[in-house]
Amino acid sequence: MVKIRVKNLTAAQLNWAVAQCEKLEIESIRGGAVWIYLKCSLTGEVECVDTYHPTTNWAQGGSIIEREGITIEGPAFTGDTWQAHLWTDQVVDFIVCEGATPLIAAMSIYVISKLGTTVEVPDALF
Protein backbone atom coordinates (compact mmCIF):
# COMPACT_ATOMS: atom_id res chain seq x y z
CA MET A 1 0.00 0.00 0.00
CA VAL A 2 1.20 3.49 -0.87
CA LYS A 3 0.02 6.63 0.92
CA ILE A 4 -1.02 9.39 -1.52
CA ARG A 5 -2.94 12.66 -1.38
CA VAL A 6 -6.46 12.41 -2.84
CA LYS A 7 -5.82 15.34 -5.19
CA ASN A 8 -2.97 13.32 -6.78
CA LEU A 9 -4.92 10.09 -7.36
CA THR A 10 -5.30 8.73 -10.88
CA ALA A 11 -8.82 7.84 -12.04
CA ALA A 12 -8.29 4.13 -11.26
CA GLN A 13 -6.93 4.93 -7.80
CA LEU A 14 -9.85 7.28 -7.14
CA ASN A 15 -12.30 4.58 -8.26
CA TRP A 16 -10.69 2.21 -5.76
CA ALA A 17 -10.93 4.82 -2.97
CA VAL A 18 -14.62 5.43 -3.74
CA ALA A 19 -15.22 1.66 -3.60
CA GLN A 20 -13.63 1.70 -0.12
CA CYS A 21 -15.95 4.52 0.96
CA GLU A 22 -18.95 2.62 -0.40
CA LYS A 23 -17.77 -0.55 1.40
CA LEU A 24 -17.97 -2.53 -1.84
CA GLU A 25 -16.49 -6.00 -2.00
CA ILE A 26 -13.61 -5.81 -4.46
CA GLU A 27 -13.04 -8.94 -6.50
CA SER A 28 -9.69 -7.84 -7.93
CA ILE A 29 -7.64 -5.06 -9.46
CA ARG A 30 -6.61 -6.00 -12.98
CA GLY A 31 -5.94 -4.14 -16.17
CA GLY A 32 -5.81 -0.88 -14.20
CA ALA A 33 -9.47 -1.33 -13.25
CA VAL A 34 -11.31 -2.05 -10.04
CA TRP A 35 -13.56 -5.13 -10.32
CA ILE A 36 -16.36 -5.55 -7.77
CA TYR A 37 -18.89 -8.22 -6.94
CA LEU A 38 -22.46 -7.33 -7.85
CA LYS A 39 -25.11 -8.86 -5.64
CA CYS A 40 -28.76 -9.54 -6.36
CA SER A 41 -30.91 -7.00 -4.51
CA LEU A 42 -33.46 -9.71 -3.62
CA THR A 43 -31.31 -12.67 -2.60
CA GLY A 44 -27.97 -11.07 -1.77
CA GLU A 45 -26.25 -13.70 -3.91
CA VAL A 46 -23.34 -12.68 -6.10
CA GLU A 47 -24.61 -12.40 -9.66
CA CYS A 48 -21.51 -11.27 -11.54
CA VAL A 49 -18.33 -9.26 -11.44
CA ASP A 50 -18.08 -5.88 -13.16
CA THR A 51 -15.81 -2.86 -13.27
CA TYR A 52 -16.40 0.01 -10.89
CA HIS A 53 -15.62 3.44 -12.29
CA PRO A 54 -17.64 6.21 -10.65
CA THR A 55 -15.16 8.77 -12.03
CA THR A 56 -16.54 8.17 -15.55
CA ASN A 57 -19.86 6.38 -15.04
CA TRP A 58 -22.72 8.72 -14.09
CA ALA A 59 -24.90 5.79 -13.01
CA GLN A 60 -22.32 4.96 -10.34
CA GLY A 61 -20.98 8.42 -9.44
CA GLY A 62 -24.22 10.34 -9.92
CA SER A 63 -26.06 8.42 -7.20
CA ILE A 64 -23.26 9.29 -4.75
CA ILE A 65 -23.43 12.98 -5.73
CA GLU A 66 -27.19 13.02 -5.14
CA ARG A 67 -27.12 11.03 -1.88
CA GLU A 68 -24.26 13.06 -0.37
CA GLY A 69 -25.57 16.48 -1.49
CA ILE A 70 -22.42 17.34 -3.43
CA THR A 71 -22.73 20.47 -5.57
CA ILE A 72 -20.74 21.05 -8.75
CA GLU A 73 -19.68 24.21 -10.57
CA GLY A 74 -18.32 24.19 -14.11
CA PRO A 75 -15.33 25.91 -15.68
CA ALA A 76 -17.46 28.94 -16.59
CA PHE A 77 -17.40 29.81 -12.87
CA THR A 78 -14.07 28.34 -11.77
CA GLY A 79 -11.60 28.74 -14.65
CA ASP A 80 -10.15 25.60 -16.22
CA THR A 81 -11.44 22.97 -13.80
CA TRP A 82 -14.65 21.70 -12.29
CA GLN A 83 -15.27 22.28 -8.58
CA ALA A 84 -17.24 20.15 -6.15
CA HIS A 85 -18.50 21.53 -2.84
CA LEU A 86 -19.71 19.68 0.23
CA TRP A 87 -20.86 20.72 3.67
CA THR A 88 -19.71 18.24 6.28
CA ASP A 89 -21.54 17.25 9.46
CA GLN A 90 -20.16 20.32 11.14
CA VAL A 91 -22.06 23.40 9.96
CA VAL A 92 -18.88 25.47 9.74
CA ASP A 93 -16.88 22.92 7.69
CA PHE A 94 -17.07 23.34 3.91
CA ILE A 95 -14.87 21.29 1.54
CA VAL A 96 -13.95 22.26 -2.03
CA CYS A 97 -12.21 20.01 -4.58
CA GLU A 98 -11.19 20.56 -8.18
CA GLY A 99 -11.01 18.07 -11.03
CA ALA A 100 -10.78 17.77 -14.80
CA THR A 101 -14.40 16.52 -14.94
CA PRO A 102 -17.42 16.94 -12.68
CA LEU A 103 -17.27 13.28 -11.63
CA ILE A 104 -13.57 13.44 -10.72
CA ALA A 105 -14.13 16.58 -8.63
CA ALA A 106 -17.18 15.06 -6.92
CA MET A 107 -15.59 11.67 -6.23
CA SER A 108 -12.48 13.40 -4.84
CA ILE A 109 -14.55 15.43 -2.39
CA TYR A 110 -16.51 12.32 -1.42
CA VAL A 111 -13.30 10.41 -0.62
CA ILE A 112 -11.89 13.34 1.38
CA SER A 113 -15.13 13.60 3.38
CA LYS A 114 -14.95 9.89 4.29
CA LEU A 115 -11.24 9.02 4.43
CA GLY A 116 -9.36 12.30 4.74
CA THR A 117 -6.95 14.11 2.44
CA THR A 118 -4.57 11.14 2.08
CA VAL A 119 -5.38 7.48 1.41
CA GLU A 120 -3.43 4.25 1.19
CA VAL A 121 -3.76 2.75 -2.29
CA PRO A 122 -2.76 -0.80 -3.33
CA ASP A 123 0.55 -1.16 -5.17
CA ALA A 124 -1.35 -2.81 -8.07
CA LEU A 125 -2.78 0.60 -9.01
CA PHE A 126 0.62 2.20 -9.62
Side-chain angles (χ1 to χ4, degrees):
M1 299 287 270
V2 177
K3 196 171 221 174
I4 187 168
R5 293 182 59 83
V6 172
K7 71 178 187 175
N8 296 329
L9 294 175
T10 65
Q13 293 165 343
L14 185 54
N15 291 334
W16 178 87
V18 173
Q20 297 302 300
C21 294
E22 292 289 286
K23 300 184 182 354
L24 298 175
E25 189 175 349
I26 296 175
E27 187 268 339
S28 67
I29 300 168
R30 59 182 189 270
V34 177
W35 293 79
I36 61 167
Y37 290 107
L38 298 177
K39 296 182 182 178
C40 174
S41 59
L42 296 175
T43 66
E45 297 296 318
V46 172
E47 291 182 328
C48 62
V49 175
D50 198 2
T51 57
Y52 187 66
H53 43 97
T55 59
T56 58
N57 183 328
W58 278 96
Q60 295 171 348
S63 61
I64 295 170
I65 292 169
E66 183 177 357
R67 182 188 71 225
E68 298 296 320
I70 297 169
T71 59
I72 301 169
E73 289 182 352
F77 296 103
T78 62
D80 293 338
T81 60
W82 291 83
Q83 278 189 355
H85 306 155
L86 178 66
W87 288 99
T88 63
D89 294 337
Q90 301 167 348
V91 176
V92 296
D93 198 4
F94 185 67
I95 305 171
V96 178
C97 273
E98 293 183 347
T101 70
L103 283 173
I104 289 173
M107 294 305 100
S108 296
I109 206 164
Y110 176 58
V111 170
I112 287 172
S113 74
K114 300 295 182 190
L115 302 177
T117 58
T118 59
V119 294
E120 289 191 18
V121 177
D123 295 336
L125 289 171
F126 283 90

